[in-house]
mmCIF file of all heavy atoms in Angstrom:
data_model
loop_
_atom_site.group_PDB
_atom_site.id
_atom_site.type_symbol
_atom_site.label_atom_id
_atom_site.label_comp_id
_atom_site.label_asym_id
_atom_site.label_seq_id
_atom_site.Cartn_x
_atom_site.Cartn_y
_atom_site.Cartn_z
ATOM 1 N N SER A 127 18.854 -16.761 -14.653
ATOM 2 C CA SER A 127 17.494 -16.325 -14.879
ATOM 3 C C SER A 127 17.331 -14.909 -14.432
ATOM 4 O O SER A 127 17.975 -14.385 -13.530
ATOM 5 C CB SER A 127 16.475 -17.179 -14.125
ATOM 6 O OG SER A 127 16.571 -18.519 -14.570
ATOM 7 N N SER A 128 16.376 -14.245 -15.026
ATOM 8 C CA SER A 128 16.012 -12.832 -14.589
ATOM 9 C C SER A 128 14.822 -12.886 -13.667
ATOM 10 O O SER A 128 14.044 -13.921 -13.632
ATOM 11 C CB SER A 128 15.698 -11.924 -15.836
ATOM 12 O OG SER A 128 14.683 -12.532 -16.530
ATOM 13 N N PRO A 129 14.668 -12.008 -12.766
ATOM 14 C CA PRO A 129 13.538 -12.010 -11.789
ATOM 15 C C PRO A 129 12.166 -11.932 -12.540
ATOM 16 O O PRO A 129 12.062 -11.417 -13.648
ATOM 17 C CB PRO A 129 13.681 -10.710 -10.948
ATOM 18 C CG PRO A 129 14.837 -9.924 -11.592
ATOM 19 C CD PRO A 129 15.418 -10.754 -12.663
ATOM 20 N N LEU A 130 11.234 -12.632 -11.965
ATOM 21 C CA LEU A 130 9.825 -12.586 -12.411
ATOM 22 C C LEU A 130 9.152 -11.377 -11.863
ATOM 23 O O LEU A 130 8.934 -11.288 -10.620
ATOM 24 C CB LEU A 130 9.167 -13.921 -12.071
ATOM 25 C CG LEU A 130 7.807 -14.042 -12.442
ATOM 26 C CD1 LEU A 130 7.609 -14.021 -14.028
ATOM 27 C CD2 LEU A 130 7.234 -15.371 -11.988
ATOM 28 N N GLU A 131 8.648 -10.558 -12.722
ATOM 29 C CA GLU A 131 7.830 -9.331 -12.280
ATOM 30 C C GLU A 131 6.456 -9.401 -12.877
ATOM 31 O O GLU A 131 6.374 -9.573 -14.194
ATOM 32 C CB GLU A 131 8.587 -8.039 -12.677
ATOM 33 C CG GLU A 131 9.893 -7.860 -12.006
ATOM 34 C CD GLU A 131 10.532 -6.562 -12.388
ATOM 35 O OE1 GLU A 131 10.545 -6.177 -13.575
ATOM 36 O OE2 GLU A 131 11.013 -5.863 -11.513
ATOM 37 N N PHE A 132 5.508 -9.214 -12.055
ATOM 38 C CA PHE A 132 4.173 -9.214 -12.602
ATOM 39 C C PHE A 132 3.153 -8.476 -11.668
ATOM 40 O O PHE A 132 3.572 -8.121 -10.522
ATOM 41 C CB PHE A 132 3.575 -10.619 -12.902
ATOM 42 C CG PHE A 132 3.547 -11.500 -11.768
ATOM 43 C CD1 PHE A 132 2.318 -11.749 -11.030
ATOM 44 C CD2 PHE A 132 4.680 -12.281 -11.337
ATOM 45 C CE1 PHE A 132 2.268 -12.657 -10.006
ATOM 46 C CE2 PHE A 132 4.606 -13.088 -10.324
ATOM 47 C CZ PHE A 132 3.482 -13.318 -9.590
ATOM 48 N N VAL A 133 2.008 -8.169 -12.134
ATOM 49 C CA VAL A 133 1.038 -7.437 -11.408
ATOM 50 C C VAL A 133 -0.224 -8.272 -11.272
ATOM 51 O O VAL A 133 -0.692 -8.848 -12.233
ATOM 52 C CB VAL A 133 0.656 -6.094 -12.114
ATOM 53 C CG1 VAL A 133 -0.362 -5.338 -11.352
ATOM 54 C CG2 VAL A 133 1.822 -5.297 -12.358
ATOM 55 N N TYR A 134 -0.790 -8.330 -10.050
ATOM 56 C CA TYR A 134 -2.049 -9.024 -9.887
ATOM 57 C C TYR A 134 -3.043 -7.906 -9.604
ATOM 58 O O TYR A 134 -2.934 -7.091 -8.743
ATOM 59 C CB TYR A 134 -1.955 -9.927 -8.584
ATOM 60 C CG TYR A 134 -3.332 -10.520 -8.201
ATOM 61 C CD1 TYR A 134 -3.899 -11.456 -8.936
ATOM 62 C CD2 TYR A 134 -3.886 -10.090 -7.049
ATOM 63 C CE1 TYR A 134 -5.133 -12.090 -8.505
ATOM 64 C CE2 TYR A 134 -5.153 -10.622 -6.596
ATOM 65 C CZ TYR A 134 -5.716 -11.620 -7.339
ATOM 66 O OH TYR A 134 -6.892 -12.189 -6.989
ATOM 67 N N VAL A 135 -4.112 -7.859 -10.472
ATOM 68 C CA VAL A 135 -5.077 -6.857 -10.459
ATOM 69 C C VAL A 135 -6.496 -7.379 -10.154
ATOM 70 O O VAL A 135 -6.893 -8.466 -10.762
ATOM 71 C CB VAL A 135 -5.268 -6.066 -11.815
ATOM 72 C CG1 VAL A 135 -6.258 -4.925 -11.734
ATOM 73 C CG2 VAL A 135 -3.872 -5.535 -12.232
ATOM 74 N N GLU A 136 -7.115 -6.861 -9.160
ATOM 75 C CA GLU A 136 -8.518 -7.328 -8.750
ATOM 76 C C GLU A 136 -9.551 -6.303 -8.969
ATOM 77 O O GLU A 136 -9.311 -5.057 -8.676
ATOM 78 C CB GLU A 136 -8.463 -7.595 -7.153
ATOM 79 C CG GLU A 136 -8.386 -9.000 -6.778
ATOM 80 C CD GLU A 136 -8.480 -9.128 -5.314
ATOM 81 O OE1 GLU A 136 -9.575 -9.009 -4.723
ATOM 82 O OE2 GLU A 136 -7.428 -9.347 -4.686
ATOM 83 N N SER A 137 -10.697 -6.686 -9.452
ATOM 84 C CA SER A 137 -11.877 -5.861 -9.492
ATOM 85 C C SER A 137 -13.040 -6.615 -8.911
ATOM 86 O O SER A 137 -12.780 -7.693 -8.398
ATOM 87 C CB SER A 137 -12.176 -5.442 -10.956
ATOM 88 O OG SER A 137 -12.595 -6.591 -11.697
ATOM 89 N N HIS A 138 -14.127 -5.980 -8.879
ATOM 90 C CA HIS A 138 -15.299 -6.717 -8.170
ATOM 91 C C HIS A 138 -15.682 -7.949 -8.769
ATOM 92 O O HIS A 138 -16.362 -8.793 -8.171
ATOM 93 C CB HIS A 138 -16.511 -5.658 -8.000
ATOM 94 C CG HIS A 138 -17.218 -5.436 -9.294
ATOM 95 N ND1 HIS A 138 -16.659 -4.612 -10.239
ATOM 96 C CD2 HIS A 138 -18.351 -5.949 -9.787
ATOM 97 C CE1 HIS A 138 -17.588 -4.602 -11.328
ATOM 98 N NE2 HIS A 138 -18.573 -5.300 -11.044
ATOM 99 N N ASP A 139 -15.422 -8.164 -10.118
ATOM 100 C CA ASP A 139 -15.862 -9.397 -10.782
ATOM 101 C C ASP A 139 -14.797 -10.095 -11.580
ATOM 102 O O ASP A 139 -15.009 -10.994 -12.396
ATOM 103 C CB ASP A 139 -17.069 -9.097 -11.677
ATOM 104 C CG ASP A 139 -16.672 -8.189 -12.827
ATOM 105 O OD1 ASP A 139 -15.559 -7.614 -12.816
ATOM 106 O OD2 ASP A 139 -17.448 -7.983 -13.789
ATOM 107 N N ASP A 140 -13.505 -9.739 -11.322
ATOM 108 C CA ASP A 140 -12.359 -10.312 -12.107
ATOM 109 C C ASP A 140 -11.164 -10.173 -11.370
ATOM 110 O O ASP A 140 -10.968 -9.394 -10.496
ATOM 111 C CB ASP A 140 -12.323 -9.596 -13.518
ATOM 112 C CG ASP A 140 -11.459 -10.350 -14.528
ATOM 113 O OD1 ASP A 140 -11.240 -11.552 -14.310
ATOM 114 O OD2 ASP A 140 -11.074 -9.763 -15.497
ATOM 115 N N ALA A 141 -10.148 -11.030 -11.756
ATOM 116 C CA ALA A 141 -8.754 -10.911 -11.245
ATOM 117 C C ALA A 141 -7.896 -11.350 -12.372
ATOM 118 O O ALA A 141 -8.173 -12.264 -13.087
ATOM 119 C CB ALA A 141 -8.620 -11.753 -10.006
ATOM 120 N N ARG A 142 -6.773 -10.621 -12.488
ATOM 121 C CA ARG A 142 -5.828 -10.940 -13.634
ATOM 122 C C ARG A 142 -4.369 -10.805 -13.140
ATOM 123 O O ARG A 142 -4.065 -10.064 -12.295
ATOM 124 C CB ARG A 142 -5.982 -9.957 -14.823
ATOM 125 C CG ARG A 142 -7.442 -10.011 -15.449
ATOM 126 C CD ARG A 142 -7.498 -8.929 -16.511
ATOM 127 N NE ARG A 142 -8.820 -8.961 -17.044
ATOM 128 C CZ ARG A 142 -9.083 -9.209 -18.328
ATOM 129 N NH1 ARG A 142 -8.072 -9.330 -19.118
ATOM 130 N NH2 ARG A 142 -10.262 -9.229 -18.730
ATOM 131 N N TYR A 143 -3.580 -11.581 -13.843
ATOM 132 C CA TYR A 143 -2.098 -11.490 -13.592
ATOM 133 C C TYR A 143 -1.598 -10.920 -14.949
ATOM 134 O O TYR A 143 -1.861 -11.423 -15.995
ATOM 135 C CB TYR A 143 -1.505 -12.822 -13.471
ATOM 136 C CG TYR A 143 -1.748 -13.459 -12.111
ATOM 137 C CD1 TYR A 143 -2.892 -14.342 -11.907
ATOM 138 C CD2 TYR A 143 -0.999 -13.176 -10.925
ATOM 139 C CE1 TYR A 143 -3.094 -14.933 -10.701
ATOM 140 C CE2 TYR A 143 -1.258 -13.711 -9.791
ATOM 141 C CZ TYR A 143 -2.337 -14.535 -9.583
ATOM 142 O OH TYR A 143 -2.618 -15.106 -8.340
ATOM 143 N N LEU A 144 -0.877 -9.839 -14.778
ATOM 144 C CA LEU A 144 -0.296 -9.154 -15.961
ATOM 145 C C LEU A 144 1.210 -9.242 -15.852
ATOM 146 O O LEU A 144 1.795 -8.870 -14.853
ATOM 147 C CB LEU A 144 -0.682 -7.644 -15.948
ATOM 148 C CG LEU A 144 -2.227 -7.423 -15.881
ATOM 149 C CD1 LEU A 144 -2.504 -5.938 -15.768
ATOM 150 C CD2 LEU A 144 -2.923 -8.009 -17.044
ATOM 151 N N ASP A 145 1.836 -9.668 -16.912
ATOM 152 C CA ASP A 145 3.331 -9.774 -16.957
ATOM 153 C C ASP A 145 3.973 -9.047 -18.098
ATOM 154 O O ASP A 145 5.233 -9.076 -18.214
ATOM 155 C CB ASP A 145 3.824 -11.238 -16.935
ATOM 156 C CG ASP A 145 3.378 -11.986 -18.121
ATOM 157 O OD1 ASP A 145 2.633 -11.514 -19.008
ATOM 158 O OD2 ASP A 145 3.735 -13.222 -18.141
ATOM 159 N N ALA A 146 3.157 -8.378 -18.984
ATOM 160 C CA ALA A 146 3.756 -7.572 -20.048
ATOM 161 C C ALA A 146 4.577 -6.396 -19.404
ATOM 162 O O ALA A 146 4.150 -5.808 -18.471
ATOM 163 C CB ALA A 146 2.625 -7.069 -20.911
ATOM 164 N N HIS A 147 5.781 -6.127 -20.027
ATOM 165 C CA HIS A 147 6.655 -5.117 -19.468
ATOM 166 C C HIS A 147 5.872 -3.803 -19.321
ATOM 167 O O HIS A 147 6.064 -3.087 -18.303
ATOM 168 C CB HIS A 147 7.839 -4.981 -20.306
ATOM 169 C CG HIS A 147 8.745 -3.924 -19.888
ATOM 170 N ND1 HIS A 147 9.568 -4.025 -18.773
ATOM 171 C CD2 HIS A 147 9.000 -2.684 -20.385
ATOM 172 C CE1 HIS A 147 10.275 -2.928 -18.560
ATOM 173 N NE2 HIS A 147 9.945 -2.120 -19.508
ATOM 174 N N ASP A 148 5.095 -3.356 -20.364
ATOM 175 C CA ASP A 148 4.423 -2.116 -20.258
ATOM 176 C C ASP A 148 3.474 -2.051 -19.107
ATOM 177 O O ASP A 148 3.321 -1.006 -18.461
ATOM 178 C CB ASP A 148 3.654 -1.826 -21.599
ATOM 179 C CG ASP A 148 4.650 -1.469 -22.736
ATOM 180 O OD1 ASP A 148 5.778 -1.262 -22.429
ATOM 181 O OD2 ASP A 148 4.205 -1.573 -23.895
ATOM 182 N N ALA A 149 2.751 -3.125 -18.855
ATOM 183 C CA ALA A 149 1.764 -3.152 -17.825
ATOM 184 C C ALA A 149 2.459 -3.129 -16.460
ATOM 185 O O ALA A 149 2.071 -2.350 -15.544
ATOM 186 C CB ALA A 149 0.888 -4.494 -17.825
ATOM 187 N N VAL A 150 3.479 -3.874 -16.274
ATOM 188 C CA VAL A 150 4.249 -3.829 -14.999
ATOM 189 C C VAL A 150 4.837 -2.371 -14.774
ATOM 190 O O VAL A 150 4.787 -1.898 -13.657
ATOM 191 C CB VAL A 150 5.382 -4.866 -14.971
ATOM 192 C CG1 VAL A 150 6.275 -4.793 -13.795
ATOM 193 C CG2 VAL A 150 4.792 -6.370 -15.055
#
Side-chain angles (χ1 to χ4, degrees):
S127 299
S128 58
L130 176 62
E131 295 181 316
F132 59 99
V133 181
Y134 174 70
V135 182
E136 259 184 72
S137 66
H138 73 282
D139 64 350
D140 194 16
R142 295 175 184 241
Y143 289 94
L144 308 173
D145 62 357
H147 178 73
D148 290 346
V150 173

